[in-house]
Every structure is written in C-alpha cells, then in structure tokens.
Amino acid sequence: TMPKEPAVLHQNILDTTAAVLACGIDPKKCFLFRQSLVPEHVELAWILGCLTNVPRLLRLPQWKMKRASQNNEGTVGLLTYPVLQAADILLYKSTHVPVGEDQVLHLELAQDIAQHFNKKYGEFFPVPKAVLSEL
C-alpha cells in the first residue's frame, strides 16, 4: 500500500518468486502466477468494496496501527486492502485459508463479505475457514 519505485517492485516480485521456489514449491504441481496480471482480482475487489461499509474497515486493528505510523494520514489503499484480500480469497472459491493470528480479523471480514454477497445474490462463494498456522 506504499508507493514503490518500479525497479524495486520488479525486484521484489523476482525475490518473492525465488523464495517460494526455494521453499520447495514445485511449479510442475501447482500454478505460479503474478496476481497483478489477473484483472479479476481488482474487479472483484471493486464489487466487494461496494458491499463493504467503511465503519467496518475503520475498526480493523491493522488500519489503526498503520494509520498511526503514517502520521494519521492512512491511504484509501491501506483502508481497502482487506477487501482486496477478501477478493483474493473468494475469487478462487477457497474453503480453507492458512492465516496467522494477525490475519484472523481480515479472514473474518472475507467470511462476512461472502455471507453478505450470498444473501444478496444467491449462494456463490463458499465461506472460507481459517487454518491457523503454528510457529
């Protein structure tokens, strides 16, 4: 959610891809793709953002913490990032999502958005369940 120099962003993409491969992910057994090249992510985020109320986003602790670190001038991108996360999860109709404790509230938002969407438009998205990672 913070502006990056294009060269730094490109290098971050390469570094992250290298780290994923170094962890043993086998590209012959799974799909690796650059999310920013899939327009459906932001398209769904826009639709879901139109169903999500601002007060709910303002209550998220990550918003409060990051906003404080940005001299109380948090950006729209920072505020709506959890909706983009929900779109990332729901786009693929995920049923289980591995999360750390710090992301449980964001997954709960994704669950609420899925339920709201399904109530309004009919059963479409599974309501994803958290799979808490152990450290």
Side-chain angles (χ1 to χ4, degrees), residues 13 32-43 91-92:
I13 292 167
L32 289 178
F33 61 93
R34 203 165 112 194
Q35 177 180 322
S36 60
L37 297 179
V38 181
E40 290 83 0
H41 284 270
V42 294
E43 291 167 0
L91 181 64
Y92 298 100

Side-chain angles (χ1 to χ4, degrees), residues 61-82:
Q62 288 88 342
W63 162 255
K64 292 177 184 176
M65 289 178 2
K66 295 247 183 164
R67 184 173 168 253
S69 72
Q70 294 178 359
N71 298 322
N72 290 323
E73 294 183 8
T75 64
V76 172
L78 179 62
L79 179 64
T80 60
Y81 183 74

Side-chain angles (χ1 to χ4, degrees), residues 8 22 33 42 51 55 65 76 83 93 99 106 108 125 132 134:
V8 172
F33 61 93
V42 294
L51 298 172
M65 289 178 2
V76 172
V83 178
K93 297 193 173 187
V99 295
H106 286 185
E108 288 175 2
F125 293 117
L132 290 172
E134 296 180 20

Side-chain angles (χ1 to χ4, degrees), residues 2 39 44 53 62 64 70 79 82 85 90 119 123 128:
M2 299 298 295
L44 182 57
N53 68 44
Q62 288 88 342
K64 292 177 184 176
Q70 294 178 359
L79 179 64
Q85 282 184 307
L90 298 177
K119 184 177 179 184
E123 289 298 314

Side-chain angles (χ1 to χ4, degrees), residues 19-132:
V20 167
L21 293 171
C23 288
I25 298 296
D26 185 350
K28 293 177 183 166
K29 295 181 181 179
C30 65
F31 293 104
L32 289 178
F33 61 93
R34 203 165 112 194
Q35 177 180 322
S36 60
L37 297 179
V38 181
E40 290 83 0
H41 284 270
V42 294
E43 291 167 0
L44 182 57
W46 174 259
I47 293 166
L48 300 180
C50 291
L51 298 172
T52 305
N53 68 44
V54 172
R56 174 70 193 276
L57 296 175
L58 291 172
R59 288 193 302 269
L60 292 171
Q62 288 88 342
W63 162 255
K64 292 177 184 176
M65 289 178 2
K66 295 247 183 164
R67 184 173 168 253
S69 72
Q70 294 178 359
N71 298 322
N72 290 323
E73 294 183 8
T75 64
V76 172
L78 179 62
L79 179 64
T80 60
Y81 183 74
V83 178
L84 178 61
Q85 282 184 307
D88 296 342
I89 293 165
L90 298 177
L91 181 64
Y92 298 100
K93 297 193 173 187
S94 303
T95 57
H96 294 79
V97 181
V99 295
E101 287 288 335
D102 63 329
Q103 292 297 310
V104 168
L105 292 176
H106 286 185
L107 185 61
E108 288 175 2
L109 177 69
Q111 294 167 335
D112 291 347
I113 290 172
Q115 290 167 341
H116 180 70
F117 187 97
N118 291 342
K119 184 177 179 184
K120 189 167 183 79
Y121 300 108
E123 289 298 314
F124 189 77
F125 293 117
V127 178
K129 293 180 176 47
V131 177
L132 290 172

